[in-house]
Amino acid sequence: MKISLNWLKQYTDLNLPAEKISRILTDLGLEVEGMETFESVKGGMLGLVIGEVLTCSKHPNADKLTVTTVDVGQEQPLQIVCGAPNVAEGQKVVVATVGAQLFFNEESITIKKTKLRGELSEGMICAEDEIGLGTGHDGIMVLEKNAKPGTAAKEYFNVESDTVFEIGLTPNRIDGASHYGTARDLAAFFSQEQKVRLELPDISFFAVENNSYPVQVIIENPDACNRYAGITLTGISVKPSPEWLQTRLRSIGLNPINNIVDITNFVLHELGQPLHAFDADKIRGKKIVVKNQKQGTKFTTLDGEEHELSAEDLMICDGEGPVAIAGAFGGLDSGVTDSTKNVFIESAYFNPVSVRKTARLHGISTDSSFRFERGVDPNMTLFALKRAALLMKELGGGTIASEIVDVYPRPIKDFEVAVSYKNIDRLIGKHIHEDKIKKILNALEIKILKEDDKNLVLKVPAYRVDVTREADVTEEILRIYGYNNIEIPEHLNSNLAYTKKPDNEKLMNLVSDFLSARGFNEIMSNSLTKSNYYKSLETYRPENTVKIFNPLSHDLDGMRQTLLFGGLEAIIYNTNRRNPDLMLYEFGNCYALNVGQSGRNPLDKYSENRHLGLFLTGNKSEPNWTTREEKTSFYRLKSYVENIFQRLGLNINTLETRLDNLKPDIFEETFTYSINNKVLAELGYVNPSRLQEFDIANDVFYADIFWDTLVSATENLSIRYEELPKYPEVRRDLALLLDQAVNYSEIKKLAYETEKNLLKKINLFDVFQGKNIPEGKKSYAVSFILQDKNKTLSDKEIDKIMQRLISVYQAQLHAEIR
């Protein structure tokens, strides 16, 4: 938001340097992010002076040039060679002296002392386009005869130089989104030391001249429109705005359009109240109806864009149809044009939520929607309307031809807040005298309804939409009193903190470092997502999605149930930018609505759990001359998951595993790790139907680690240190002929159950099916690593263990030893 210093001075006295005012604004919560100098004429006419042409003579070496002498208020006149056909003795002209910089046609030139065809030229006599006062270039600009030579052109033309503050307005400070609102904050600050002027524009001479052009106003949706006021002016002349108005708008980056539109923009930035001007003759039926339209209704805005309306969009309609989107944008067919003679001015208060939803839905962002979305002052509605009507009458020559129509079905009341001096001191950390507090409250236009020695009951004006609690009032007092006036305490109190074990944040950082060191990139997806992602799923049902009451858009209307879709969005985004080989991970919360569950606490039906998602897609590494191209695989993902478990201290040999097809809409097959019947992780190849929804061509392998369960599983783990074994490991291999339905996990589980002490490791190193293998069978080649910490194993002991394993496999898995 841009705020002009010269404009501010119309409402309060500001005699400090701009830099000082900038610091004060920042301290008041209106952070100044930048400052710039604005000049009504580019360059500020520095180096330009008024001159008088003393002599003119023909150039001896050029037919179209004239050699002149010009009095510019110096001891000696300047000799200037001029090419303009209209230069003559006795003229008062604008002279650019040596060193002056001129801006025209988006370019700049610096005037130098030079020779033109052999004759010395010590400056330049200017045309109006060369000094930024017009577009004419037929000849030099001739001034009135009373112009005094030597006068700075800046003074003669009243060139305005201004400082413009760029303020980073936070959403809670919409009360400062105008020049008067900013001046009001400055006045509150300065009034603590001296009496300060704070004045609204004078509208005391407002008067209705006749009631010849009334327009009826009807509000059908008072929930979305609390107040709607309007007035009609007739006999208006639409024309360019006067220079002062154009300068005000240009200083804050707005382009002047015409006097009527410029006035609505001026009042918006002056008072913070958005206005809209309709061509009154285009309002059919002389009636304004504030209501919603049917879903799918087409509407074209002032910029020529056609929008398909939602049934929730609040519209301004006339007797036959919509003419504007309430609080956001006017319609193409009802706006003011050069031929407009009669104008209806709208000044309203629209529900912030309604305007925000409509603006986001249609991708509209205007100065009006910005203010309505955050909440304007409902008590400024009529004042702004009268201010605009008087300006239009003054600058457009019209007549106020109707009474003010003010429909206000649900008045907005000021806020009542109770505060205590004790709590104010406690929150601030310093005692502020009661009289000082009252003085600050008065400067902030906060009225005291009741008071005693310890407490105050306050009435906060409605335009302070963010001041509704005792803490808010305390913050208001503090920002006027000055944060810098709160001394740093001489001592600091603290308590010893005992972190609950295991430390969740520490474990997250540990795993993050582990994954990042192995080539993964961390992503952070929005926890708000499309509810449509779940419309055809059984694993994550649509009714379990936590819906947002006031979504920013249809694409962000629900809380995510899984990290999968955020990861797929990241994958297709990168793939489309030629980065298809990806290793990604994300920590994030997932949410669910447990339909049918009820209890005393309404939050019981909601669940929120932290997950860790891993994504692999594309090639394992970039191909080069030493390695061939190799696609990533499920087993690579599985190894990373097991490494995470081991890094956190879990023994993967004790974990329960299974392979099933219980989530076919997510995985082709699901490989699950569990502990004590609680799922630790699910991983697999993502269902091609899900990939197709995102136009992802490559295979994607995804692991969903249930982080909260994993952290809980590490609670009772302790760090153990063991001496390196002195005695060697022994390896024995078995080739097992098994039924197709038998999984390796069963072999592994039986092995550890059979030999708990000496079996250290088991590994499947070959799988064979086909020739010489009976139908319905498969061959597994499995290695077993045996070791005794206290001695070297004998062949007899080893054979005994292997025979027990063979017996178990034969009995329980019907295995044959090949």
Side-chain angles (χ1 to χ4, degrees), residues 390-439:
L390 288 172
L391 285 171
M392 289 184 188
K393 178 177 170 60
E394 176 187 349
L395 305 182
T399 300
I400 299 176
S402 78
E403 297 287 344
I404 291 178
V405 181
D406 182 19
V407 182
Y408 200 1
R410 297 181 182 176
I412 298 172
K413 298 180 180 179
D414 294 339
F415 310 109
E416 282 195 15
V417 182
V419 300
S420 70
Y421 293 121
K422 180 180 178 181
N423 283 338
I424 292 173
D425 290 348
R426 180 179 59 84
L427 290 171
I428 290 177
K430 176 182 178 179
H431 175 68
I432 300 178
H433 196 275
E434 290 79 358
D435 291 339
K436 183 70 172 178
I437 290 174
K438 293 177 186 178
K439 187 174 183 180

Side-chain angles (χ1 to χ4, degrees), residues 702-715:
Y702 168 58
D704 183 9
I705 298 176
F706 293 62
W707 182 255
D708 293 334
T709 306
L710 179 58
V711 171
S712 297
T714 67
E715 282 186 6

Side-chain angles (χ1 to χ4, degrees), residues 250-271:
R250 287 195 183 101
S251 70
I252 58 172
L254 298 181
N255 292 321
I257 298 173
N258 59 54
N259 55 345
I260 304 302
V261 175
D262 290 351
I263 287 169
T264 61
N265 287 330
F266 175 82
V267 173
L268 182 150
H269 288 277
E270 178 184 51
L271 302 174

